[in-house]
Amino acid sequence: MARLAAGPAPEAVALGDSLAAGWPEPDLAAATGLTTRNLGLPGDRVQTTRWRLAAMAAFPLRPRLAVLMVGTNSFADGDAPEVIVAGLADLVAALRAAWAPPVIVLASVPWRAAPPGRSEADRLALNAVIGDLARMQALRLLDCDAAFRPDPATGLDADRLHLNARGYASLSAALASLLRTG
């Protein structure tokens, strides 16, 4: 919470898991053109991001933009796509109630090494329902699969889950493009 109390109020915020937390603030600021605060936290699942938002809602922020990048841990833990998307819908509602950002970007779950019991088809099915949620909720969808073409593995660290500098550069370019055209 100290990150919210320190310095000027951000015009953009990023929320989510380790993939969000690892996104360098200077890259986010360059992609958005706004002062940005990265509020991602490694290990977050969809519901823990929502709980953290409830605690942060006391801070009177009014960001113009929020980027949500969360879901890979819920996916890896075996949550059904419908459960993850219902949690994302609740998170979006809580975000709108707390800070009312006029623009919300929802990121799909990027390619990763398949966790035990999950397949690439499972991840693609999850991303399809995330895309449906984005359309139904008037969110902008950051399509991580498109951002990392042609070879998503080149944007990943050796653990085949977390993004490397090249991955964040690709994601930042895709976010900048999305915001310019959206």
Side-chain angles (χ1 to χ4, degrees), residues 71-169:
T72 196
N73 294 323
S74 299
F75 172 74
D77 289 343
D79 291 356
E82 298 76 22
V83 171
I84 295 169
V85 169
L88 288 170
D90 289 345
L91 176 58
V92 168
L95 180 60
R96 286 180 168 148
W99 296 334
V103 177
I104 299 175
V105 174
L106 179 61
S108 63
V109 174
W111 183 86
R112 54 170 290 159
R118 298 315 285 257
S119 69
E120 176 63 0
D122 294 331
R123 187 189 67 82
L124 293 173
L126 171 59
N127 281 344
V129 291
I130 288 174
D132 292 342
L133 173 66
R135 283 184 289 284
M136 289 186 309
Q137 295 277 333
L139 310 173
R140 296 194 189 170
L141 179 67
L142 180 57
D143 182 346
C144 293
D145 289 332
F148 297 129
R149 282 191 181 108
D151 182 6
T154 62
L156 296 179
D157 278 340
D159 67 3
R160 296 175 52 95
L161 167 63
H162 295 95
L163 303 178
N164 59 28
R166 184 175 179 178
Y168 282 114

